[in-house]
Amino acid sequence: SKATVSVLYWDEGRVAVMSLQDSARSTSSEELIAKPNKLVLFIGNRPSWWKKLVFCIALYNLASVPFRVCLNTPASLIEVLIDLLLDIIMIFEFFCNVMRPPKGVEEKNELRVSNVLINIRSRQAIVELIAIIPLDLVGFGLSKGLLHPAFRLNKMIRVLKLSWYFDELGEILQIGHNAQRVFRFTVLIIWLIYWLGCVWNLVIWSDGETSHTWYWTQQPGLLSEPSGYRFLLGVYWTLTMMTGYGSILPQSDLQIIFSLVTVVVGVAGNVGVIGTLGSLVQNLDSSGAAFRQKMDAVNDYMRYRKISTEMQTRIKGYYTYLWQSRRGLDEARLIQELPGYLQEEVSLFLNKEIISKVPLFHECDEQFKSAVVVKLIPTVLLPDSFIVRKGEVGREMYFISRGEVQVVSEAKESSERVVYATLRDGSFFGEVALLFNDSRRTATVVTSSFCDLFVLRKEDFDTIRESFPDQSKAIHKAAQKRYNLQRQNENAED
C-alpha cells in the first residue's frame, strides 16, 4: 500500500518526472531516483494544440473510413502509414484521459487507482476504448496481407463523442455560445451530407450494374468511374434530394429506403436551419434589447421627476459609456459573485500592476498587496466631474484604470481653472487620506474624460492594516514623510 510509483508527468507541454505513493500523497521529484517500483503515465492539462490535433484526427477518421468502405477503395501505403501514426496518437490520448486525476487535485499531483477506474468506466473512455482497438491488425491477418477498409469501422463510434469534442474545442477557442451553436450545426450538416453521399455509393454498389441502377443514377457504367467522381455525384444527388429538387424515382428496395431517409434528414435539416437562425438572431441582440429597455425606464423616470435637460444628457452619457465599454456588465457585482479565492485571483490579474506603482506599498509583501487589491471598488465618472476638492476631508484613495484627470485650481468655470498636473492610466492620488484621520485634501482633482477608477476606502484599508501590523508600521512611516513634504510645500506657497 506504500509502494513508490514513479510518474512521467506532462502538463501544458511541460514534461517532468515525480514520484507518488498509492496513498495519493506526492513527494519531491528528487526522491524518484530512489529505486521506484513501477512507472505510471500521469497526464495533467494538455496544451491547446494537442487538443486541436485530437479533434482533427477524430474528424479525419469520421471522413476517411466511410469513404473507403462505401466506395470500396482500399488504402494506399501512405494512407496506411498515416492511419498508423494517428492511431498511436489517439491511443496516447486515451491514456491521457484515463490517467488524469479528478478535477481540483491537479496541483497536488495526486493519483489514485480508484480515480483511474472511474475514468475508465466513463462514457467517453468506453467509446474511445472501442475506437482504438486495432482491428486493422486482425483484418491484416485474416485477409492474408490485405487491409480491407471495413476493419476500421470501429473508428466511427467516435460519432458519440462529437459533442464532447465540440465542448473541448469551444473551451480552447473561447468562442461565445451562439458561435458554438453555429459551428456545431454547420459541421453536423456538412457531415450528414458527406456520409449520405458515401452511403449513396454503397447502395449503388449493392445493387450492382442493373437497369434499376442505370435508371436511378442516369449514369450507365458508374461503378467503373473513378471514386472521386462517384463521391461527388453522390453528394450532388444527396443535396438535390435534401432540398426537394431530386426528380429521379428510386427503383429497388434499398434505393427507396435510402431516398426516404435522405428526405427525412433534409426536412429535419431545413427545420433546424430555420429554428437555429431565428434563435440566433434573437439572442445576438439580447443584450442590446436589455440596454434599450433599461434606457426606456431611465427616460421615463427622468421625465416623471422633471430632471433638467443638461442632467438628462449627463445621465444618458453615463449609461451609454457603460454600454460601450462593458456591454452593460456590472463589474463590481460580477466579481462579488465569485468565490473568495477567485475574487483575489481576478483582482490581482486586473490591478496588481497599479498597486505596485504606489510608493507606499513598495516594501509590502504579496499577501498585503492581495488584500488591498480585493478591496478595490470600480467606479465610472463622467467628464468634468469633481473627484476631490481642496480642503474637504479625504477618506478614499483613487487609482486610474482608464481615462484622464487633472489637478486644478478652484474655479467654478472650467475655462478659468489652472491645470497643475494631468494624471492618466496607471496613476493614483489621495494616498495620504488612508493613514491620517481628518486629513484635508490639498488639491482639487477633476476628470477631463470618461474615467474608470478604482477606489480604496479608509475603513477597508484600516481593516487590512490590523491584519498586517508590521506592514502597517512601514507604510505609516513612508506616508508620514510624504505628508510632511506636502505640508512644507503648502507653507511655502502661503
Side-chain angles (χ1 to χ4, degrees):
S1 61
K2 297 296 183 180
T4 303
V5 179
S6 62
V7 174
L8 177 63
Y9 184 78
W10 184 38
D11 191 2
E12 294 291 352
R14 177 177 58 86
V15 179
V17 182
M18 58 189 65
S19 59
L20 302 175
Q21 291 183 346
D22 289 345
S23 59
R25 295 188 306 170
S26 62
T27 56
S28 63
S29 58
E30 289 77 9
E31 297 180 14
L32 172 65
I33 306 174
K35 299 179 181 179
N37 292 338
K38 54 183 176 178
L39 182 66
V40 175
L41 182 64
F42 174 66
I43 304 298
N45 294 321
R46 279 91 70 216
S48 59
W49 64 263
W50 175 265
K51 296 181 180 179
K52 294 175 184 177
L53 175 63
V54 169
F55 181 79
C56 293
I57 293 175
L59 294 186
Y60 168 78
N61 284 321
L62 293 177
S64 62
V65 173
F67 181 88
R68 297 175 190 170
V69 172
C70 295
L71 281 83
N72 195 24
T73 304
S76 63
L77 178 59
I78 295 179
E79 291 174 332
V80 170
L81 294 177
I82 292 175
D83 292 340
L84 179 61
L85 174 62
L86 300 184
D87 289 347
I88 293 173
I89 293 176
M90 295 305 288
I91 291 173
F92 182 70
E93 168 66 12
F94 171 75
F95 284 103
C96 288
N97 291 318
V98 170
M99 304 303 291
R100 185 170 54 187
K103 292 183 178 181
V105 298
E106 288 89 346
E107 295 300 326
K108 300 179 182 178
N109 302 325
E110 295 179 355
L111 181 63
R112 298 174 184 267
V113 175
S114 58
N115 298 140
V116 176
L117 295 177
I118 291 174
N119 291 338
I120 292 177
R121 289 196 295 265
S122 66
R123 176 173 174 265
Q124 287 84 4
I126 293 174
V127 170
E128 191 61 32
L129 180 61
I130 297 173
I132 64 175
I133 296 176
L135 294 180
D136 309 56
L137 301 180
V138 178
F140 185 79
L142 294 178
S143 58
K144 299 180 180 180
L146 296 177
L147 288 175
H148 195 278
F151 286 103
R152 292 187 61 82
L153 281 174
N154 61 316
K155 314 298 180 186
M156 293 297 296
I157 198 173
R158 290 197 180 104
V159 171
L160 302 178
K161 289 183 62 178
L162 271 180
S163 178
W164 182 80
Y165 284 128
F166 282 127
D167 292 339
E168 287 276 301
L169 192 63
E171 291 182 4
I172 296 171
L173 301 179
Q174 297 182 348
I175 56 179
H177 176 67
N178 290 330
Q180 285 193 42
R181 288 181 59 190
V182 172
F183 179 70
R184 289 189 183 201
F185 190 78
T186 303
V187 172
L188 179 61
I189 291 296
I190 293 174
W191 238 245
L192 285 174
I193 295 173
Y194 181 91
W195 289 331
L196 288 173
C198 293
V199 175
W200 181 86
N201 281 275
L202 182 62
V203 172
I204 298 301
W205 179 80
S206 300
D207 287 342
E209 290 284 0
T210 63
S211 58
H212 291 169
T213 302
W214 297 347
Y215 181 80
W216 194 42
T217 62
Q218 299 293 300
Q219 293 283 335
L222 181 61
L223 293 178
S224 60
E225 297 289 344
S227 58
Y229 173 78
R230 285 184 285 141
F231 169 73
L232 291 176
L233 190 61
V235 171
Y236 170 77
W237 189 94
T238 300
L239 279 173
T240 56
M241 288 299 295
M242 290 179 67
T243 55
Y245 290 102
S247 59
I248 304 301
L249 296 177
Q251 302 298 309
S252 67
D253 293 340
L254 276 178
Q255 294 173 8
I256 294 173
I257 294 173
F258 179 73
S259 299
L260 288 174
V261 172
T262 304
V263 171
V264 170
V265 171
V267 172
N270 290 331
V271 173
V273 168
I274 296 173
T276 301
L277 290 179
S279 177
L280 287 176
V281 170
Q282 183 177 3
N283 292 333
L284 284 175
D285 197 38
S286 59
S287 55
F291 171 72
R292 289 189 292 270
Q293 184 178 4
K294 183 173 185 177
M295 289 305 301
D296 290 339
V298 171
N299 291 330
D300 292 339
Y301 172 80
M302 292 189 296
R303 283 194 296 267
Y304 173 72
R305 290 298 183 182
K306 298 180 180 179
I307 296 177
S308 64
T309 303
E310 182 181 357
M311 188 173 294
Q312 286 188 29
T313 302
R314 290 175 60 82
I315 293 174
K316 292 178 182 178
Y318 171 78
Y319 282 110
T320 302
Y321 175 76
L322 283 183
W323 167 252
Q324 292 175 348
S325 60
R326 296 177 174 83
R327 308 304 291 177
L329 289 175
D330 188 342
E331 188 174 1
R333 181 178 178 182
L334 181 65
I335 295 178
Q336 288 175 359
E337 291 176 351
L338 298 174
Y341 70 96
L342 276 182
Q343 286 187 26
E344 182 176 338
E345 290 181 9
V346 173
S347 300
L348 278 174
F349 176 78
L350 295 175
N351 308 315
K352 186 177 180 179
E353 185 178 352
I354 295 177
I355 293 295
S356 300
K357 293 180 180 179
V358 181
L360 295 179
F361 303 148
H362 282 175
E363 303 299 326
C364 298
D365 57 23
E366 294 300 321
Q367 291 183 345
F368 184 89
K369 294 179 182 179
S370 299
V372 172
V373 165
V374 172
K375 294 297 183 179
L376 296 181
I377 302 173
T379 187
V380 176
L381 293 178
L382 298 173
D384 203 31
S385 298
F386 284 91
I387 306 175
V388 300
R389 293 179 182 272
K390 184 177 181 178
E392 67 182 10
V393 177
R395 300 193 63 81
E396 298 91 9
M397 179 180 179
Y398 298 90
F399 303 86
I400 304 174
S401 175
R402 181 192 302 172
E404 183 179 277
V405 303
Q406 294 177 339
V407 182
V408 299
S409 61
E410 282 290 324
K412 293 183 178 180
E413 299 296 333
S414 58
S415 58
E416 300 176 359
R417 298 172 191 156
V418 178
V419 178
Y420 300 122
T422 300
L423 306 178
R424 297 181 176 85
D425 301 1
S427 301
F428 60 91
F429 56 93
E431 67 275 16
V432 176
L434 297 180
L435 294 154
F436 300 99
N437 295 324
D438 300 328
S439 173
R440 300 283 177 175
R441 300 292 189 185
T442 59
T444 298
V445 181
V446 63
T447 60
S448 57
S449 66
F450 282 102
C451 287
D452 293 343
L453 305 179
F454 287 99
V455 183
L456 179 60
R457 297 180 301 187
K458 178 175 172 54
E459 50 266 32
D460 292 334
F461 190 68
D462 289 342
T463 303
I464 297 173
R465 290 175 59 193
E466 292 176 1
S467 303
F468 298 88
D470 294 337
Q471 310 280 345
S472 177
K473 293 178 181 178
I475 292 174
H476 192 276
K477 184 177 180 179
Q480 187 66 52
K481 291 181 179 179
R482 293 176 63 87
Y483 182 73
N484 293 337
L485 181 62
Q486 288 184 1
R487 298 295 296 178
Q488 292 176 6
N489 292 337
E490 291 178 4
N491 295 333
E493 292 178 358
D494 294 338

